[in-house]
Amino acid sequence: MSKAEDEGHGPVGGLAHRVPDLGALELLLAVARLGSLGAAAREVGITQPAASSRIRSMERQLGVALVDRSPRGSRLTDAGALVTDWARRVVEAAEAFDAGAQALRDRRDSRLRVAASMTIAEYLLPGWLLALRAERPDTAVSLLAGNSAAVAERLLADEADLGFVEGLTVPPGLDAVVIAHDRLVVVAAPGHPWARRRRPLSAEELAATPLILREKGSGTRQVLDTALGGLARPLIELSSTTAVKAAAVGGAGPSVLSELAVREELTMRRLVSVPLADVTLGRSLRAVWPTGHRPTGPARDLLSLTRA
């Protein structure tokens, strides 16, 4: 026994060691209300032997008798009546705590802020968000579209709950999971000389040619620059995949875009895919979130839909 216990100050340690848990306090309140340990056990969903054991354990913990048991039922001792008054206040405080926590969860679940790089925002997210709406019709979703660098900034500034990026690497400060794979293709309008090429375009030719490109910081630009070891000065630099595609369709020059983004244009022959030799422009599409803060609530549900 410790010195503190010898001197009558009770057991040392944190409150968790000195105060009965909520389950025990709820059982004591039920005994006080029903006058029967068996009835109290049924109300809280445990067996009578388990209820008896829990009461005895609480009595040992507090060092006082709480319940007198007899064939006519169970009644509180004087100490038990006093402890029951305290227990009622503790349980009421716990109920208030639980209600507050539920309010926080409801507020969190009422909105979802998503940040996504352009290709994912334009060609993949709409379907995922429609599926999420079917599961969570009361969740309001806001979408912030930008390049991969901007997505990382939004997440790290707590301006988004979940992000999607297209680059070769995971931005610092973020955890990630691969949700899909994509391939970049060289495209040109049907009237461009590359559309009539009989041999594949070399990596050196592509790197030396001014292209219609996304801005620096985009996942598409990063993949292309890394694969080719550098790029010529852009012919035009635009901030969205749709704008780049429109310029290429209009004949402004060749470009390199996600296969997801140009699927319809290739099918309708508004753009032509130009074969490329010596290099593969594949990339992984990732969901990202701040390190150590795995998505919860609607963000978790959206993440699961991307991998369905």
Side-chain angles (χ1 to χ4, degrees):
M1 183 177 293
S2 70
K3 181 179 178 181
E5 290 173 303
D6 273 339
E7 294 174 352
H9 296 302
V12 295
L15 280 174
H17 298 289
R18 303 196 304 272
V19 177
D21 62 43
L22 284 173
L25 296 179
E26 287 179 318
L27 174 62
L28 183 62
L29 291 175
V31 172
R33 185 173 65 257
L34 300 172
S36 164
L37 189 60
R42 288 192 293 274
E43 181 172 285
V44 301
I46 60 177
T47 65
Q48 184 165 338
S52 295
S53 176
R54 187 170 292 183
I55 292 293
R56 286 194 299 271
S57 177
M58 185 163 41
E59 289 174 331
R60 286 194 300 271
Q61 185 177 25
L62 296 176
V64 294
L66 302 174
V67 178
D68 281 333
R69 304 162 185 82
S70 73
R72 294 186 300 275
S74 301
R75 68 174 187 85
L76 299 179
T77 64
D78 291 343
L82 185 58
V83 170
T84 298
D85 285 340
W86 299 336
R88 188 173 291 107
R89 292 198 290 270
V90 171
V91 170
E92 287 172 353
E95 289 170 344
F97 181 95
D98 180 56
Q102 183 60 52
L104 288 176
R105 289 191 294 270
D106 290 344
R107 186 172 70 179
R108 177 203 67 190
D109 292 352
S110 69
R111 66 168 187 173
L112 173 61
R113 301 167 301 167
V114 180
S117 52
M118 288 295 185
T119 300
I120 297 175
E122 292 177 314
Y123 301 101
L124 292 176
L125 258 175
W128 297 336
L129 293 179
L130 281 174
L132 181 67
R133 183 172 180 80
E135 292 188 3
R136 286 182 171 270
D138 296 328
T139 297
V141 179
S142 61
L143 173 59
L144 305 167
N147 61 38
S148 294
V151 170
E153 291 173 4
R154 296 277 193 179
L155 286 166
L156 294 174
D158 194 28
E159 296 174 357
D161 305 305
L162 184 65
F164 296 94
V165 296
E166 307 161 14
L168 291 171
T169 59
V170 179
L174 302 180
D175 287 339
V177 63
V178 174
I179 56 168
H181 297 279
D182 186 26
R183 184 171 71 96
L184 302 182
V185 292
V186 182
V187 293
H192 191 277
W194 281 4
R196 298 184 294 275
R197 287 181 66 99
R198 294 187 177 182
R199 58 183 177 83
L201 189 69
S202 72
E204 291 77 13
E205 286 179 278
L206 183 60
T209 302
L211 302 169
I212 306 169
L213 293 174
R214 286 285 308 281
E215 79 288 0
K216 288 183 178 180
S218 74
T220 301
R221 180 81 169 259
Q222 181 191 43
V223 171
L224 185 60
D225 197 5
T226 301
L228 299 181
L231 296 168
R233 184 176 179 178
L235 179 66
I236 308 172
E237 193 174 74
L238 298 167
S239 61
S240 79
T241 301
T242 299
V244 171
K245 185 169 60 174
V249 169
S255 184
V256 179
L257 288 165
S258 163
E259 194 170 38
L260 293 169
V262 296
R263 187 172 294 158
E264 181 180 346
E265 285 71 22
L266 293 175
T267 300
M268 302 299 293
R269 295 288 297 175
R270 292 196 291 267
L271 288 173
V272 175
S273 178
V274 182
L276 179 63
D278 310 325
V279 64
T280 301
L281 299 177
R283 61 179 178 174
S284 296
L285 307 181
R286 296 179 174 89
V288 289
W289 57 87
T291 299
H293 298 276
R294 192 163 181 85
T296 59
R300 178 196 59 223
D301 293 347
L302 177 59
L303 179 58
S304 69
L305 287 170
T306 68
R307 307 176 72 187

